[in-house]
DNA sequence: TGAAGTACCTTGACAGGCGAGGTACTCTGG
DNA sequence: CCAGAGTACCTCGCCTGTCAAGGTACTTCA
């Protein structure tokens, strides 16, 4: 919910990349997966999600292609690039580090 | 360093409040304490720190008073208010929750 | 005397999140 | 048969928080 959205700020790219490492996916599905995994506690706002896609694609961390669904709404699929994988691995380390630092700052 | 600063974005207020729960303090000292506690890995930028003070005081979470040092540079001390304590307690819960959520989103 | 340390502060630019609004197609119940 | 809910995408413009850059003023010490 809104409680956590401030805290997840900064993890958007990382979370999207994590989903794309699991498998190619598209905006709507990624958001549903996130909602599932968090038992409905979290989900990106659409504007946030799509602006993240733009950012990540411009940075070369993901690429997109249109799904070939004849029926139903068109889907733009995203796939992670090697640079994306590398960036993600690095971001995982950063996250471990950040947790450590924040936790240490929240104690007397 | 700059690596972690993106991830600490959003924890600024919480970290400052944690310091003020330990004891009344002033900007410069808070930053030094943070540098100490993180072995020099982290420190607020001054502009960030002082804008956080303004925000927190406006929100009624901290109050300030001038230190009575006759000698040396003047110091503006900050103290946490009851609302600040309450906000901090809440933010701790949010942080536990955020860690759980983020970790769960970073796995297959 | 001048550099380094202590201590505060402001301005303006920039980036990311997101509310609000929009398009277009499909499926299902009444 | 058609209205509403669901799927699926997208843009514009505001708001908030960070921070580079710049400034002030005092003290200590080599």
């Amino acid at each position: 919910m809104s409680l956590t959205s401030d805290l997840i700020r900064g993890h958007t790219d990382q979370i999207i990349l994590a989903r794309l490492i699991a498998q190619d996916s598209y905006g709507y599905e990624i958001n549903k997966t996130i909602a599932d995994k968090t038992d409905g506690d979290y989900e990106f706002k659409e504007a946030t999600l799509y602006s993240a896609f733009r950012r990540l694609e411009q940075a070369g961390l993901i690429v997109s292609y249109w799904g070939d669904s004849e029926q139903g709404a068109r889907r733009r699929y995203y796939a992670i690039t090697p640079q994306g994988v590398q960036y993600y691995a690095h971001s995982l380390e950063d996250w471990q580090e950040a947790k450590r630092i924040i936790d240490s700052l929240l104690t007397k």
Side-chain angles (χ1 to χ4, degrees), chain A:
Chain A
M1 298 263 96
S2 59
L3 296 176
T4 54
S5 76
D6 265 351
L7 298 178
I8 286 182
R9 195 184 197 106
H11 297 275
T12 310
D13 295 358
Q14 184 186 28
I15 289 169
I16 291 171
L17 292 177
R19 291 301 98 226
L20 296 180
I21 279 176
Q23 58 177 305
D24 287 14
S25 189
Y26 56 96
Y28 200 83
E29 189 182 53
I30 286 174
N31 232 6
K32 288 301 156 230
T33 306
I34 289 169
D36 274 2
K37 279 178 155 286
T38 59
D39 297 314
D41 284 345
Y42 193 68
E43 208 176 34
F44 289 123
K45 299 301 179 301
E46 287 196 4
T48 301
L49 188 62
Y50 290 110
S51 77
F53 284 143
R54 236 179 294 132
R55 186 170 56 245
L56 288 166
E57 189 156 25
Q58 275 199 311
L61 304 182
I62 61 176
V63 288
S64 66
Y65 55 91
W66 285 102
D68 59 349
S69 62
E70 299 298 309
Q71 92 298 16
R74 75 221 154 118
R75 294 173 179 167
R76 189 196 282 277
Y77 280 86
Y78 293 94
I80 193 166
T81 64
Q83 298 104 289
V85 173
Q86 202 181 325
Y87 178 94
Y88 176 72
H90 191 68
S91 82
L92 269 191
E93 287 168 36
D94 285 352
W95 169 229
Q96 296 308 320
E97 171 88 347
K99 273 198 288 190
R100 200 180 54 72
I101 288 180
I102 293 167
D103 277 330
S104 75
L105 290 176
L106 298 182
T107 59
K108 285 211 181 79

